[in-house]
């Protein structure tokens, strides 16, 4: 540093150095001012030297070794990646934490760790989560990649397929029409859609109604076209469930005398024989069904009916539960006829009302910002892009794109409508819900003869799966009441879960709806079960709120 300052000073004092080159001295003399002495030149040189010295010192400090960043999280991506690729995910920009999240640091850390584990177990490229507490978003974050090829990290704004959560969105359209008196849930669907033929089951004329379609009790098929396989599978499941129920009841009663033991042994032998005889053959899963990969563009819901309208019913309407996305294609046609609008136009009006501005039908042509790519593992266990599909035949049952933020808004709107009736007496200034309280109660009431495939404790209601509050033994497991819907599409999995706060007339003072936890998770990998993960996350946040 001393040598540098000396050199600059000498250069400034020398003829033709910095002082003369800048022309400042000549200007000074031409202005008629006294000539500048050598002291001025030395001062200028010293000043410039000090300035350069400070700059050089700053540069040297910047060149000093910085603190090394934390080691990359091995669960940041389940794929085998070089360290450079992992560091991109680590340093990807994150949305600042909302101010409401400060009291949930423990729940966020615990839930993030859980999501990393799930992501690592299934090998998902990316996953996005959002959580709201009492109507306020407290956490949203993306893990991994929305686009593996271009190393685009997931973020809260990432848009993905929400698959069968689309059914819950369609239910809002049906409910609004029912509330307005434009739709009767219990008359034959031919009243609205005469293009759908009247049906018979085993030679008997039967009626398919809107209510039966909503709860998957219509008998209309899903992607599996083989009636025999479906019936065998249903019979096998029913027998298995009966055996489990009998075993549980016997254990609960605690009967262990010799006579009961003999009867139990005989029953087990008979049931085992029945099971062997009735066990179904190997049935294709949904992702092996050709119709899931349709590429044909359908202009409207009526046109989509030709895929299944002439197929026979698999069961008598109302008798058995058979999950059917095609049933919701028929519901979309009913929405069109009852509302007088195209299905998508009517849904976009609903999305505007709910402030779900990033929720749209999936189409290939439009530019949709932040849209993720979708992935699957091939037979060699390599990650590949999913094939192109056109979901226009099933927009109502599984064809929308959305973000976790929009799904949280939707969940809160449903929870508000469900709870606002309880608060009306204590707070008359509350705005009405998007749906009436009695409508929401109807939608979240379990329907007999239904199943909830993602939680065997629950039943299907009206476009939602519902688990009711239950506790069998004191100081033991307490089952919370919640509503949810999962989704599975080509290259995507999703869940939206609503955990209402347990309220009574004594605890609602100084509170306003919605009261509860909403969790939404979307993932760009198919066949990822997310409901139990969402429930665990909801309970973590509920615990922090209680504390």
């Amino acid at each position: 540093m001393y040598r540098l300052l000396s050199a600059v000073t000498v250069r400034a004092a020398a003829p033709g150095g910095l002082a003369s080159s800048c022309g400042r001295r000549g200007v000074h003399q031409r202005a008629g001012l006294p000539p500048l002495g050598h002291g001025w030149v030395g001062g200028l040189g010293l000043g410039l030297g000090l300035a350069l010295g400070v700059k050089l010192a700053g540069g040297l400090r910047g060149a000093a070794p910085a603190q090394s960043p934390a080691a990359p999280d091995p669960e940041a991506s389940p794929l085998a990646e070089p360290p450079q690729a992992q560091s991109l995910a680590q340093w990807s920009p994150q949305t600042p934490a909302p101010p409401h999240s400060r009291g949930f640091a423990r729940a966020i850390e615990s839930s993030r760790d859980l999501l990393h584990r799930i992501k690592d177990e299934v090998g998902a490229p990316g996953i996005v989560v959002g959580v709201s507490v009492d109507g306020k978003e407290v956490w949203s974050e993306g893990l991994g990649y929305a686009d593996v090829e271009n190393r685009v990290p997931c973020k809260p704004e990432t848009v993905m397929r929400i698959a069968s959560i689309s059914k819950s969105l369609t239910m809002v359209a049906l409910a609004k029409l029912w509330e307005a008196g434009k739709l009767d849930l219990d008359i034959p669907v031919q009243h609205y859609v005469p293009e759908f033929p009247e049906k018979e089951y085993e030679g008997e004329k039967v009626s398919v109604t809107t209510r039966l379609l909503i709860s998957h009790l219509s008998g209309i098929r899903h992607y599996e076209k083989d009636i025999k396989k479906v019936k065998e599978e249903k019979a096998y499941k029913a027998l298995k469930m009966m055996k489990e129920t009998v075993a549980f009841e016997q254990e609960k009663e605690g009967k262990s005398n010799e006579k009961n033991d003999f009867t139990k042994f005989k029953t087990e032998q008979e049931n085992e024989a029945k099971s062997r005889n009735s066990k179904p053959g190997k049935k294709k899963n949904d992702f092996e069904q050709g119709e899931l990969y349709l590429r044909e563009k359908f202009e409207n819901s009526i046109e989509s009916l030709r895929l299944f309208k002439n197929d026979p019913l698999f069961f008598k309407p109302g008798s058995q539960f058979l999950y059917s996305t095609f049933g919701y294609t028929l519901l979309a046609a009913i929405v069109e006829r009852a509302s007088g609008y195209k299905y998508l136009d009517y849904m976009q009006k609903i999305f505007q009302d709910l402030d779900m501005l990033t929720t749209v039908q999936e189409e290939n042509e439009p530019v949709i910002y932040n849209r993720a790519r979708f992935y699957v593992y091939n037979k060699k266990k390599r990650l590949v892009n999913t094939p192109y599909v056109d979901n226009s035949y099933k927009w109502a049952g599984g064809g929308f794109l959305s973000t976790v933020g929009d799904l949280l808004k939707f969940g809160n709107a449903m929870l508000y409508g469900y709870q606002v009736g309880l608060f009306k007496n204590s707070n008359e200034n509350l705005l009405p819900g998007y749906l009436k309280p009695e409508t929401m109660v109807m939608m979240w009431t379990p329907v007999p003869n239904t199943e909830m495939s993602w939680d065997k404790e629950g039943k299907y209601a009206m476009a939602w799966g519902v688990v009711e509050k239950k506790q069998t033994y004191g100081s033991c497991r307490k089952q919370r009441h919640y509503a949810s819907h999962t989704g599975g599409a080509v290259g995507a999995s999703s869940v939206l879960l609503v955990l209402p706060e347990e309220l009574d007339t004594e605890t609602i003072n100084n509170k306003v709806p919605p009261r509860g936890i909403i969790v939404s998770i979307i993932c760009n990998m198919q066949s990822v079960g997310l409901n139990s993960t969402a429930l665990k996350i909801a309970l973590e946040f509920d615990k922090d709120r209680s504390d």
Side-chain angles (χ1 to χ4, degrees):
M1 180 65 71
Y2 174 78
R3 291 178 181 175
L4 176 64
L5 294 176
S6 301
V8 172
T9 306
V10 170
R11 186 178 176 193
L18 287 172
S20 60
S21 66
C22 69
R24 176 64 180 158
R25 188 174 184 178
V27 173
H28 186 88
Q29 289 176 338
R30 284 194 298 271
L33 298 174
L36 299 171
H38 293 289
W40 178 86
V41 176
L44 176 62
L46 181 60
L48 288 171
L50 288 170
L52 288 171
V54 170
K55 186 173 182 180
L56 179 59
L60 290 173
R61 282 196 302 268
Q67 289 183 344
S68 59
D73 186 344
E75 293 182 345
S77 174
L79 309 176
E81 301 170 351
Q84 294 85 347
Q86 290 184 350
S87 64
L88 173 61
Q90 178 185 345
W91 289 101
S92 60
Q94 295 290 337
T95 301
H100 308 291
S101 66
R102 293 169 187 165
F104 299 96
R106 187 207 60 82
I108 291 173
E109 182 180 356
S110 174
S111 300
R112 184 187 292 120
D113 179 65
L114 176 61
L115 283 173
H116 271 299
R117 291 168 183 265
I118 296 298
K119 180 178 175 299
D120 191 48
E121 285 176 14
V122 302
I127 193 167
V128 189
V129 62
V131 179
S132 75
V133 178
D134 300 336
K136 299 179 179 65
E137 183 179 315
V138 298
W139 180 46
S140 59
E141 186 174 342
L143 306 175
Y145 294 106
D147 183 340
V148 174
E149 292 173 76
N150 297 298
R151 285 299 188 253
V152 178
C154 283
K155 55 185 179 179
E157 297 79 18
T158 297
V159 175
M160 292 189 188
R161 291 170 177 159
I162 62 170
S164 288
I165 298 176
S166 303
K167 293 178 173 68
S168 303
L169 301 180
T170 299
M171 182 62 222
V172 176
L174 295 164
K176 293 295 283 186
L177 292 169
W178 177 71
E179 288 182 345
K182 296 181 178 181
L183 176 63
D184 188 329
L185 300 176
D186 298 305
I187 61 175
V189 295
Q190 289 79 13
H191 177 80
Y192 302 101
V193 187
E195 293 87 344
F196 188 78
E198 293 185 356
K199 295 292 180 180
E200 291 186 357
Y201 183 76
E202 295 182 349
E204 176 189 355
K205 282 192 175 182
V206 292
S207 293
V208 174
T209 66
T210 301
R211 190 184 298 275
L212 293 174
L213 286 168
I214 291 169
S215 297
H216 303 286
L217 291 168
S218 67
I220 291 176
R221 70 173 178 87
H222 193 37
Y223 297 119
E224 176 60 71
K225 296 181 180 180
D226 192 324
I227 295 181
K228 184 179 178 182
K229 285 184 179 179
V230 173
K231 288 193 171 187
E232 284 179 349
E233 184 187 34
K234 295 288 285 185
Y236 177 70
K237 284 183 176 180
L239 181 60
K240 187 178 179 182
M241 187 178 296
M242 184 183 68
K243 285 177 63 179
E244 291 174 353
T245 303
V246 169
F248 175 76
E249 290 298 328
Q250 288 179 346
E251 183 181 350
K252 188 176 179 181
E253 292 173 5
K255 295 180 180 178
S256 58
N257 58 53
E258 190 173 330
K259 182 178 179 180
N260 286 337
D261 287 344
F262 174 77
T263 304
K264 180 179 178 182
F265 174 76
K266 186 177 179 181
T267 303
E268 286 178 353
Q269 292 286 78
E270 291 174 353
N271 287 341
E272 194 67 35
K274 289 179 182 178
S275 295
R276 283 196 298 269
N277 294 333
S278 62
K279 190 171 182 178
K282 186 177 179 182
K283 174 180 170 289
K284 292 181 179 179
N285 65 46
D286 286 348
F287 293 103
E288 295 175 316
Q289 304 291 346
E291 285 178 321
L292 200 64
Y293 300 93
L294 287 178
R295 299 185 179 187
E296 183 180 354
K297 179 77 172 179
F298 291 87
E299 293 302 322
N300 53 58
S301 300
I302 300 296
E303 187 182 343
S304 305
L305 297 180
R306 65 177 169 81
L307 290 170
F308 63 93
K309 68 179 183 179
N310 294 319
D311 294 339
L313 297 181
F314 280 25
F315 299 100
K316 184 178 180 179
S319 66
Q320 292 199 51
F321 178 86
L322 179 62
Y323 191 88
S324 172
T325 291
F326 286 126
Y328 274 72
T329 299
L330 178 52
L331 286 171
I334 292 172
V335 169
E336 289 187 350
R337 294 293 170 78
S339 68
Y341 293 91
K342 291 183 179 179
Y343 170 76
L344 291 177
D345 292 342
Y346 195 74
M347 292 305 298
Q348 281 302 321
K349 171 64 169 60
I350 289 174
F351 297 154
Q352 272 194 328
D353 292 343
L354 296 174
D355 197 31
M356 299 172 63
L357 303 182
T358 59
T359 303
V360 293
Q361 70 272 16
E362 182 180 7
E363 294 180 285
N364 189 50
E365 295 84 5
V367 174
I368 299 175
Y369 294 107
N370 298 313
R371 175 161 33 178
R373 299 188 68 136
F374 305 102
Y375 300 95
V376 67
Y377 284 94
N378 63 15
K379 293 180 180 178
K380 295 181 179 180
K381 308 301 181 184
R382 298 287 296 180
L383 188 73
V384 295
N385 292 298
T386 56
Y388 167 74
V389 294
D390 189 305
N391 287 323
S392 58
Y393 75 97
K394 61 166 185 178
W395 275 326
F400 286 107
L401 301 171
S402 192
T403 61
V404 292
D406 268 15
L407 293 178
L408 291 180
K409 292 177 182 178
F410 174 61
N412 277 307
M414 298 299 98
L415 182 58
Y416 184 97
Y418 183 70
Q419 293 178 330
V420 70
L422 295 173
F423 289 84
K424 274 296 183 182
N425 294 331
S426 61
N427 191 340
E428 296 180 355
N429 297 322
L430 288 175
L431 293 171
Y434 193 67
L435 295 177
K436 297 175 182 177
E438 54 269 30
T439 304
M440 285 305 309
V441 169
M442 176 182 72
M443 284 170 49
W444 283 358
T445 298
V447 175
N449 297 331
T450 62
E451 304 167 13
M452 183 176 170
S453 61
W454 52 93
D455 190 335
K456 65 179 183 179
E457 302 285 355
K459 295 281 188 181
Y460 205 83
M462 299 184 79
W464 289 84
V466 177
V467 172
E468 294 188 294
K469 180 180 177 181
K470 179 182 176 183
Q471 186 170 6
T472 306
Y473 305 106
S475 297
C476 292
R477 176 177 175 266
K478 183 180 180 181
Q479 185 173 286
R480 287 284 299 272
H481 167 234
Y482 76 88
S484 74
H485 211 297
T486 61
V490 176
S493 303
S494 61
V495 65
L496 174 62
L497 185 142
V498 181
L499 182 73
E501 180 180 342
E502 296 179 328
L503 296 169
D504 56 51
T505 54
E506 296 178 359
T507 61
I508 63 174
N509 293 329
N510 302 319
K511 294 181 179 180
V512 293
R515 302 290 302 182
I517 316 293
I518 316 289
V519 179
S520 59
I521 307 174
I522 52 179
C523 171
N524 55 352
M525 169 66 67
Q526 67 194 40
S527 301
V528 182
L530 295 170
N531 189 76
S532 61
T533 301
L535 182 57
K536 289 175 184 175
I537 290 174
L539 292 173
E540 287 291 323
F541 279 83
D542 189 60
K543 180 180 178 181
D544 272 16
R545 183 181 63 167
S546 301
D547 293 344

